[in-house]
Amino acid sequence: MRFHGGYLPRVAGRPSSMIRHAPVPDQLVIRLRQGGMTYHGAVGNGETVAFGSPLAWAEGAGGRIALPAPVTGVVSIDADASALTLKVTNAETTPVWPRQPPERIPAEAIRESLACGGLWPLIWSSRTGGMPMLDGSEEPRRILVNFLATEPFRTRGKVVLQAHWEQVLTGLRYLSRLLAEYGLVHLVLTEPDDPVAHALQKETTGQVWMHLETAPLRYPVEHPRVLCGALRRGDRTVKPDETIWILDAQAVQAVGACLGEGLPLHERIVAVGGPGAANPGHLRVRIGTPLDRVLDAADLDETRQQVLRGGLMRGTPVQAADAVKYDDDAFFVLPRPAKREFLGFVNPGFDRVSILPCFASRLTGAADRTITASLRGERRPCIACGLCEEVCPRGLLPQVLHRYLYRDAIDEAERTGLPLCIGCGLCSYVCPSKIELRHEFAQAQDRLRREHEQAQAVETVNEQREESRQHEKEHSEDWRK
Amino acid sequence: MKWVAEGLNRFRPLFAPGGRWRVLWPIFQAADNFFFSHVEATEHAPYGRDPIDIKRYMSLVILALMPVFLASLYFFGPRVLLMLMVSYAAGGLVEVVFAIVRKEEINEGFLVTGFIFPLILPPGIPLWMVAVGVIFGVLVGKEVFGGTGRNLFNAALLGRCFLLLGYPSALSKSWVSPHAGSWMPWFTALPGIPSDAITGATPLMLAKNGTMTALGDLFVGQTAGCVGETSILAILIGGFILAIMRVASLKTMLGSVLSFSILGGLLHGVVPALVPPLSFNLLAGGFLFGVVFMATDPVTGPVTGSARWIYGLFIGTVTILIRSFSGYVEGVMFAILLGNIFGPLLDEIVIRFKVRGYVHES
Ligand code: SF4
Ligand code: SF4
């Protein structure tokens, strides 16, 4: 695999690889908007649902996806119908489906179980740019399983792997059943001389359909589009129109639990990290657990801390009374900026880390301890330092795109690769002029999308009009005859 | 530090909206943010950011210029300090006025322009010319384009170009022999230069007449020349700082030196009468200073990485051509200004190439 750009900042607050158990609370909150889809409740107020039976459904990907109940409990629907509250009566997990061995189960049944088990949306397909089609029209040539999470504070694949070795291997076996003929499974790891990689290698020898791949530890190698690009660039046998599916370690583990043990998606391993976190580590939590049961009270102090969902580069602030979702894998805590530093620009900087080797932390190898939820500088015009170009994993020229968008030349930006931006956020992160490049590009992409849709709509209307005109003409000719 | 904060806070209401001096807010804001780092919460992901900012960036450039500045103080005396003060005062005034008129923040970029400007002038130049030059440079080179970050030309070089065209005799006759270490220069700190301190010519001029300056003197800086360009040793230290901190583009620096060396070596082999040996050519004059501190000005060069190679090669080539085959003894100034003009074009070429790759990718 071959990668462009990328950068991994050393920031304090890396979650330790220990996994703690968060007890199942008395009440779970399930939001009906998950992973960009809106679900519709399948149960009524006051009804009791059993573990694993569907709480809500959503139409998508040519089929139906369920949100399975993570516990047995009593449902109450919130006033604005945007969430369900589950009063836990029984937190036990019992198999919902009978187990079928991977050699005998039909692909059809696997897809069905994954959709009902709520983990179909955890699969990414290069064909759709989101989850794959459920109707069996997609048979991937390759499935990429990614054990890397380079974005600071995300759950690390290795932690999942160590805790759920068997389930991950089972998951791989089932997934391989969905492959097209002669399809391959690629496992993406860091270095080959790592003990976990060794163990995996031992496990997979003799299985020709499994390939081990290595990727450098630079954000954002785990991004599906980046992985696809790197695979295509590094391996010329990958055809451009090949369908590639990508899953992360936790998704494969969930597949293993779902098909091997009959357990639908009910818990997540989430990392809690960041320089503000009282207790950085990994937690095993039941889906729907309110955040105040996941994070320490000190982390949730609104005035001093900001809690964000996801990793450092793309994470967004959590809402009040938020709960763990079906696809969550990390939360992190950034302190809010407290005071202004005296003559900060001449500080030798033992406690801060920059992409430019211009702070003393370079000598000590220390991590960045002064990062806060602030810009750490003043907004300035672009000085063309070239850092954004250097880090961009898509090989784009963010400074040039910015110049085009500044002049409102959106068409030129489109031609210069704007649609390829994956919003990894590295360019905004490193920019010394504190330009909101990622945000700017996302907005421009939205605008382009809308314009294209409009253009398409106009086209269809025109076509329809043309058709009806034709129709009328024929009609009148008929009539004349 | 506490009293600074108190002082600033005492005056803040005067400059704040509604205060008596509210139009001067940019000045106050600049002082405020100079002493206490600006804090602004992020509103978009990524919510945490890299600690590098323009203030740090520009202070690193100033840090890299320090060896050159100290060397010039040593060789040409405290008059250099005077020139620097005039440059900062006059250029700063323009910057401040424009910040106030535009209601924008004062930009740190000026600190570098104002610092470099006296370093590329002959040490004996009248002080009022320093002021005129920097005002022209900042005004026409920068402000009419919309300030730092949007300018086409290197402001300091444009100011020098203006002086060279407007006052050619002052620019070509104000050379002072270096008085390393003696206390004599204190007297030359006065606006006028005693006529006995004026020397005939710089090493490049001498070379045109066949007199070669010793390489050792050139390296240390024991020669006549522009304030900052003489001491190659100091320039190399500065260049080293820029390179290890990755503040200046190594591509531009290497590209320039490479093309200059190859072409200079070749030309010396072909027409030794016109072109002095490469070692001399590299060390004499302002080539290295220009390459290290001015060609690498990120704003006025091309903005894409690959174009910076071509830009460097271009500057090296043009410098050696002007030096060898034109009436001018020094060519680096025109080379960089020409490079400034071609920068956007080079970018355009690189963008074309890249776009082809994108089409392939999607
Ligand atoms: S990182 Fe920021 S200042 Fe540097 S080139 Fe990119 S947009 Fe310009
Ligand atoms: S956000 Fe887009 S432009 Fe910026 S570095 Fe990431 S992919 Fe490149």
Side-chain angles (χ1 to χ4, degrees):
Chain A
M1 298 178 101
R2 276 179 46 218
F3 293 89
H4 281 314
Y7 166 61
L8 185 63
R10 260 193 339 265
V11 183
R14 186 172 191 258
S16 75
S17 33
M18 261 239 316
I19 302 186
R20 284 173 284 145
H21 281 259
V24 180
D26 309 333
Q27 270 196 352
L28 301 181
V29 180
I30 310 288
R31 301 219 164 264
L32 291 178
R33 261 201 83 75
Q34 302 252 0
M37 286 196 297
T38 308
Y39 290 80
H40 302 285
V43 284
N45 226 346
E47 260 179 62
T48 301
V49 285
F51 169 78
S53 51
L55 281 175
W57 292 101
E59 304 284 335
R64 284 210 307 174
I65 318 276
L67 288 183
V71 291
T72 304
V74 183
V75 176
S76 56
I77 301 172
D78 282 13
D80 59 350
S82 69
L84 302 173
T85 309
L86 260 181
K87 205 159 175 318
V88 181
T89 53
N90 184 356
E92 302 254 312
T93 57
T94 44
V96 177
W97 302 293
R99 178 181 177 276
Q100 289 183 15
E103 307 81 50
R104 253 174 287 142
I105 187 168
E108 178 68 47
I110 297 183
R111 281 194 293 269
E112 174 74 24
S113 303
L114 295 185
C116 292
L119 40 85
W120 193 253
L122 300 183
I123 307 174
W124 183 92
S125 155
S126 66
R127 174 95 68 88
T128 61
M131 62 178 139
M133 296 305 282
L134 257 173
D135 50 17
S137 62
E138 260 184 63
E139 280 199 324
R141 277 281 297 155
R142 290 162 202 270
I143 296 182
L144 235 68
V145 176
N146 161 40
F147 291 100
L148 293 176
T150 52
E151 187 173 2
F153 316 136
R154 292 280 299 275
T155 296
R156 294 197 291 283
K158 223 180 276 176
V159 174
V160 177
L161 203 51
Q162 272 161 350
H164 294 287
W165 184 256
E166 280 307 320
Q167 282 180 342
V168 171
L169 290 178
T170 313
L172 288 176
R173 258 171 240 130
Y174 280 102
L175 277 175
S176 67
R177 297 276 298 141
L178 296 177
L179 282 171
E181 221 175 332
Y182 303 116
L184 292 172
V185 174
H186 297 258
L187 308 180
V188 187
L189 295 153
T190 40
E191 317 95 42
D193 52 344
D194 171 278
V196 181
H198 264 305
L200 255 184
Q201 200 151 25
K202 217 183 278 162
E203 205 71 46
T204 55
T205 40
Q207 292 174 325
V208 283
W209 47 272
M210 280 222 229
H211 279 202
L212 290 192
E213 308 274 354
T214 56
L217 265 187
R218 280 198 315 259
Y219 177 76
V221 294
E222 70 263 38
H223 193 284
R225 283 193 200 281
V226 173
L227 281 173
C228 270
L231 189 70
R232 292 208 172 109
R233 242 174 276 130
D235 185 347
R236 291 290 159 200
T237 64
V238 184
K239 291 184 210 72
D241 57 344
E242 252 176 50
T243 306
I244 302 174
W245 286 7
I246 297 184
L247 292 86
D248 64 7
Q250 221 176 148
V252 178
Q253 176 256 321
V255 171
C258 179
L259 294 159
E261 292 160 33
L263 301 175
L265 190 57
H266 62 284
E267 64 178 14
R268 297 287 289 171
I269 295 179
V270 298
V272 176
N279 215 345
H282 287 76
L283 273 170
R284 185 196 305 279
V285 290
R286 200 56 70 95
I287 288 164
T289 305
L291 284 196
D292 53 7
R293 309 298 292 272
V294 179
L295 295 146
D296 281 42
D299 297 344
L300 289 163
D301 180 351
E302 274 278 318
T303 54
R304 286 181 36 242
Q305 312 262 34
Q306 180 155 31
V307 179
L308 300 107
R309 156 179 272 129
L312 174 63
M313 295 296 171
R314 301 194 294 161
T316 48
V318 297
Q319 314 294 313
D322 221 329
V324 176
K325 293 185 175 178
Y326 285 76
D327 56 356
D328 269 334
D329 76 350
F331 297 95
F332 70 102
V333 188
L334 283 181
R336 289 188 195 276
K339 61 176 197 300
R340 301 173 64 188
E341 191 184 6
F342 183 64
L343 291 182
F345 62 98
V346 291
N347 188 314
F350 283 101
D351 53 1
R352 59 205 68 183
V353 177
S354 167
I355 184 168
L356 287 184
C358 65
F359 289 102
S361 64
R362 198 70 179 184
L363 309 171
T364 61
D368 195 341
R369 273 176 283 122
T370 52
I371 189 169
T372 53
S374 73
L375 288 179
R376 298 169 110 185
E378 293 147 284
R379 296 181 196 276
R380 291 280 180 259
C382 170
I383 55 156
C385 66
L387 286 175
C388 49
E389 176 186 350
E390 188 183 311
V391 296
C392 180
R394 302 290 271 168
L396 302 179
L397 302 165
Q399 76 276 42
V400 174
L401 291 178
H402 168 69
R403 214 172 44 189
Y404 286 150
L405 293 179
Y406 185 81
R407 292 201 321 241
D408 215 23
I410 193 161
D411 295 334
E412 267 169 84
E414 184 181 16
R415 240 174 291 133
T416 323
L418 176 65
L420 291 182
C421 168
I422 55 168
C424 71
L426 271 180
C427 48
S428 300
Y429 183 82
V430 299
C431 179
S433 293
K434 312 296 170 189
I435 300 171
E436 302 285 357
L437 297 162
R438 175 187 191 259
H439 178 66
E440 225 170 66
F441 300 160
Q443 275 189 326
Q445 282 180 340
D446 267 354
R447 215 177 104 193
L448 278 179
R449 211 167 297 136
R450 253 179 286 127
E451 277 172 19
H452 286 310
E453 274 168 16
Q454 263 168 17
Q456 229 154 34
V458 169
E459 223 163 77
T460 7
V461 167
N462 282 350
E463 265 169 29
Q464 279 169 356
R465 234 182 246 155
E466 189 62 27
E467 250 169 46
S468 63
R469 203 173 298 144
Q470 210 89 45
H471 194 76
E472 254 167 45
K473 219 158 120 196
E474 282 166 17
H475 209 77
S476 58
E477 274 168 14
D478 279 353
W479 183 75
R480 236 176 262 148
K481 272 186 206 158
Chain B
M1 128 182 197
K2 205 160 180 191
W3 58 268
V4 181
E6 274 165 13
L8 284 169
N9 282 337
R10 179 127 47 87
F11 287 109
R12 191 181 306 268
L14 271 181
F15 293 93
R20 193 183 319 158
W21 297 337
R22 60 185 173 277
V23 287
L24 300 182
W25 169 250
I27 300 180
F28 178 81
Q29 188 188 30
D32 191 33
N33 287 342
F34 177 84
F35 286 113
F36 295 96
S37 53
H38 173 75
V39 166
E40 183 176 341
T42 32
E43 277 160 19
H44 304 289
Y47 279 80
R49 298 287 167 95
D50 193 289
I52 186 78
D53 65 350
I54 296 297
K55 280 207 168 63
R56 180 82 179 185
Y57 204 91
M58 294 303 172
S59 13
L60 291 174
V61 180
I62 301 270
L63 178 74
L65 279 165
M66 266 309 157
V68 173
F69 179 64
L70 293 177
S72 59
L73 270 185
Y74 178 75
F75 288 118
F76 298 113
R79 186 162 201 280
V80 174
L81 190 63
L82 215 60
M83 288 166 71
L84 178 68
M85 278 158 36
V86 170
S87 163
Y88 265 165
L93 191 71
V94 180
E95 182 80 24
V96 165
V97 167
F98 271 84
I100 290 173
V101 170
R102 284 212 200 94
K103 298 201 169 46
E104 271 181 10
E105 294 177 31
I106 293 174
N107 202 307
E108 293 79 6
F110 166 70
L111 294 177
V112 173
T113 310
F115 201 105
I116 286 187
F117 188 64
L119 297 184
I120 55 172
L121 294 177
I125 192 173
L127 290 178
W128 64 267
M129 278 193 201
V130 179
V132 168
V134 78
I135 288 175
F136 181 87
V138 174
L139 198 71
V140 177
K142 204 142 77 176
E143 302 303 348
V144 297
F145 289 98
T148 303
R150 309 197 181 98
N151 46 328
L152 179 61
F153 293 109
N154 186 308
L157 273 181
L158 204 68
R160 186 182 196 275
C161 190
F162 172 74
L163 288 183
L164 185 69
L165 300 178
Y167 312 94
S169 68
L171 260 273
S172 50
K173 296 228 170 62
S174 305
W175 311 113
V176 177
S177 20
H179 333 257
S182 81
W183 285 104
M184 218 285 277
W186 280 109
F187 302 104
T188 56
L190 301 169
I193 293 286
S195 53
D196 60 337
I198 304 280
T199 66
T202 62
L204 279 179
M205 295 175 173
L206 292 173
K208 284 240 157 164
N209 304 327
T211 324
M212 288 296 188
T213 315
L215 289 184
D217 285 349
L218 285 176
F219 186 72
V220 179
Q222 189 73 290
T223 57
C226 289
V227 172
E229 74 179 24
T230 59
S231 175
I232 301 301
L233 177 64
I235 292 169
L236 289 182
I237 297 175
F240 182 71
I241 295 177
L242 288 180
I244 60 163
M245 302 265 180
R246 299 212 294 128
V247 169
S249 164
L250 211 53
K251 294 175 184 145
T252 308
M253 289 197 222
L254 292 181
S256 315
V257 174
L258 205 70
S259 61
F260 186 90
S261 304
I262 293 175
L263 204 60
L266 277 178
L267 286 177
H268 175 66
V270 181
V271 273
L274 275 178
V275 187
L278 179 63
S279 51
F280 175 85
N281 231 341
L282 264 177
L283 299 188
F287 176 66
L288 281 181
F289 184 86
V291 163
V292 170
F293 293 108
M294 317 204 63
T296 56
D297 170 12
V299 178
T300 52
V303 302
T304 57
S306 327
R308 289 198 167 144
W309 276 114
I310 316 174
Y311 180 65
L313 295 174
F314 176 86
I315 288 176
T317 311
V318 174
T319 309
I320 191 79
L321 289 182
I322 295 184
R323 273 194 189 180
S324 311
F325 304 115
S326 79
Y328 288 99
V329 287
E330 178 57 285
V332 68
M333 177 181 74
F334 290 121
I336 296 177
L337 286 176
L338 259 182
N340 288 171
I341 295 176
F342 284 114
L345 194 72
L346 299 179
D347 276 337
E348 208 50 47
I349 296 170
V350 169
I351 292 169
R352 288 273 162 79
F353 262 92
K354 282 247 176 188
V355 166
R356 232 178 273 165
Y358 298 152
V359 172
H360 188 73
E361 191 115 327
S362 57

